[in-house]
């Protein structure tokens, strides 16, 4: 007699089952690797858990292939089913959308998975995300707008953000530029998934003064570096503590600091001591184009009256780009941080919250 193996199914929903289903509802799609990282599961147990959820018709699984840069299969992603949503509702989880409303357009999938990857890395460090659908509705943008959502830092700063994959067409970049002008938000983060796209974005937007002057910050990040930087360095006080390792000491906190030269220039509020000199500090680890614009406004005649140089914090990965943007300004010193050492430092920072 042939023995028939019964498929394992969920008999009673466990807390982990509810957590995974809730994550798939909130994020719309998560790859196998993302689920493994987000819920701190072993690879073997992740595959087993997903198989049981799939056998129970609570989720569906789809290949990631055919529409990313590499045409080969790149693993699988998972979506919650209508049955899964019904189970969440029975558990008291607030759900409003149906499964078909959570469906992802094939062309939008790589942007969504990249966005979710950032959020999985940042949420344990106190960041929150509002997805693109919610942001577009709130800002009254059309459905075709490129904005990927809004990130809220642990300090409460809200950043609209954009994701650029390996190739950046000028038509798409012009569309994003138009959105930046129309939305008139204060803070933006642009993620670039390749060195070429990073360079293209910075070169294009750094000359667009009309966009820059209406922003408080316009940060352009290499994608992988951003996921480490934003864990800890969105708070400039943490940057200052790190820079003490390079003998850069903050003087701005001294309320009794009296100096007839002291004058507040846009973006040059922080005074530090470096190599025996007082300088203005500008942290360009985040390639904030607003900061670059402000440094360019600190002209030679201002420097000659004030006497303080600008110390720019850069990395071995981005220094050349920063030098090109500020090449004609000679009252600037560069402190170059080795990119690998910086990432190792940020990797060691422990999360402050848990999921």
């Amino acid at each position: 007699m042939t023995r028939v193996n019964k498929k394992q199914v969920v008999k009673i929903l466990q807390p982990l089952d509810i957590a995974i289903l809730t994550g798939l509802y909130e994020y719309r799609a998560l790859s196998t690797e993302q689920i493994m990282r987000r819920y701190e599961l072993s690879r073997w147990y992740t595959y087993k858990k997903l198989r049981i959820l799939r056998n129970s018709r609570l989720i569906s699984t789809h290949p990631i292939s055919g529409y990313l840069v590499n045409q080969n299969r790149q693993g699988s992603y998972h979506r919650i089913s209508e049955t899964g949503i019904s189970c969440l509702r029975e558990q008291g989880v607030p759900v409003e959308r149906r499964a078909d409303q959570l469906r992802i357009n094939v062309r939008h999938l790589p942007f969504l998975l990249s966005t979710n990857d950032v959020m999985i890395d940042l949420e344990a460090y106190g960041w929150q995300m509002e997805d693109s659908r919610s942001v577009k509705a709130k800002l009254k943008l059309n459905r075709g707008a490129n904005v990927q959502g809004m990130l809220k830092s642990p300090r409460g700063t809200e950043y609209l953000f954009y994701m650029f994959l390996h190739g950046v067409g000028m038509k798409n970049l012009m569309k994003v530029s138009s959105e930046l002008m129309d939305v008139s938000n204060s803070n933006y983060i642009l993620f670039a998934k390749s060195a070429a796209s990073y360079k293209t974005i910075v070169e294009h937007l750094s000359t667009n003064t009309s966009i820059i002057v209406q922003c408080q910050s316009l940060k352009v990040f290499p994608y992988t570096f951003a996921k480490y930087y934003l864990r800890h360095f969105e708070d400039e006080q943490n940057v200052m503590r790190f820079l003490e390792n390079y003998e850069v000491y903050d003087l701005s906190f001294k309320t009794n600091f009296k100096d007839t030269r002291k004058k507040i220039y846009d973006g040059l509020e922080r005074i530090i001591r470096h190599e025996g000199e007082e300088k203005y500090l500008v942290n360009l680890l985040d390639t904030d184009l607003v900061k670059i614009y402000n440094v360019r406004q600190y002209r030679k005649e201002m420097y000659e009256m004030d006497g303080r140089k600008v110390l720019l914090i850069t990395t071995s990965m981005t220094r050349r780009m920063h030098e090109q943007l500020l090449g004609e300004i000679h009252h600037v010193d560069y402190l170059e941080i080795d990119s690998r050492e910086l990432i190792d430092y940020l990797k060691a920072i422990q999360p402050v919250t848990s999921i």
Side-chain angles (χ1 to χ4, degrees), residues 209 212-213 288-298:
T209 304
I212 292 172
V213 296
D288 188 337
L289 300 183
V290 175
K291 295 177 184 176
I292 292 171
Y293 172 83
N294 288 334
V295 173
R296 293 176 66 90
Q297 304 314 300
Y298 183 54

Side-chain angles (χ1 to χ4, degrees), residues 97 130-140:
R97 296 185 176 96
E130 191 173 345
D131 70 15
S132 60
R133 297 163 301 173
S134 175
V135 169
K136 289 174 187 178
K138 184 163 62 177
L139 298 178
K140 298 181 180 178

Side-chain angles (χ1 to χ4, degrees), residues 142-233:
N142 64 56
R143 292 179 61 186
N146 285 25
V147 64
Q148 294 297 309
M150 179 177 285
L151 286 168
K152 185 176 181 179
S153 79
R155 297 186 305 133
T157 305
E158 294 181 335
Y159 297 90
L160 287 184
F161 69 95
Y162 290 80
M163 189 70 63
F164 295 86
L165 301 185
H166 297 278
V168 180
M170 190 51 61
K171 182 178 179 181
N172 185 50
L173 196 49
M174 292 296 290
K175 182 182 177 184
V176 170
S177 298
S178 179
E179 281 186 35
L180 295 178
M181 281 294 296
D182 293 342
V183 174
S184 300
N185 196 64
S186 296
N187 302 290
Y188 294 92
I189 295 177
L190 280 60
F191 298 98
K193 294 203 76 172
S194 72
S197 58
Y198 168 81
K199 183 173 184 290
T200 300
I201 295 163
V202 171
E203 288 180 345
H204 175 75
L205 290 179
S206 63
T207 61
N208 200 324
T209 304
S210 56
I211 292 176
I212 292 172
V213 296
Q214 71 180 18
C215 299
Q216 290 183 13
S217 64
L218 180 55
K219 304 175 188 292
V220 186
F221 280 109
Y223 175 77
T224 300
F225 176 68
K227 294 193 291 182
Y228 296 113
Y229 181 96
L230 293 173
R231 291 178 179 183
H232 193 59
F233 276 179

Side-chain angles (χ1 to χ4, degrees), residues 301-343:
E301 57 271 21
M302 297 178 182
Y303 161 65
E304 290 175 346
M305 290 177 60
D306 185 282
R308 294 188 184 92
K309 291 183 178 180
V310 177
L311 180 65
L312 291 179
I313 311 303
T314 186
T315 71
S316 51
M317 180 171 58
T318 56
R319 176 167 180 166
R320 185 177 179 183
M321 171 65 73
H322 296 159
E323 287 181 331
Q324 290 174 347
L325 295 171
L326 296 166
E328 77 281 8
I329 299 178
H330 301 293
H331 47 278
V332 166
D333 291 337
Y334 290 88
L335 176 57
E336 179 183 314
I337 310 295
D338 182 86
S339 300
R340 292 181 181 177
E341 290 181 8
L342 179 57
I343 289 176

Side-chain angles (χ1 to χ4, degrees), residues 246-273:
Y246 296 85
E247 299 184 349
V248 175
Y249 301 104
D250 192 4
L251 300 179
S252 301
F253 68 93
K254 295 186 177 181
T255 56
N256 61 346
F257 186 67
K258 295 179 180 179
D259 192 326
T260 55
R261 296 176 302 161
K262 188 174 182 183
K263 174 181 170 66
I264 301 298
Y265 303 96
D266 287 342
L268 301 180
E269 294 88 6
R270 191 179 296 278
I271 300 171
I272 52 92
R273 184 173 296 282

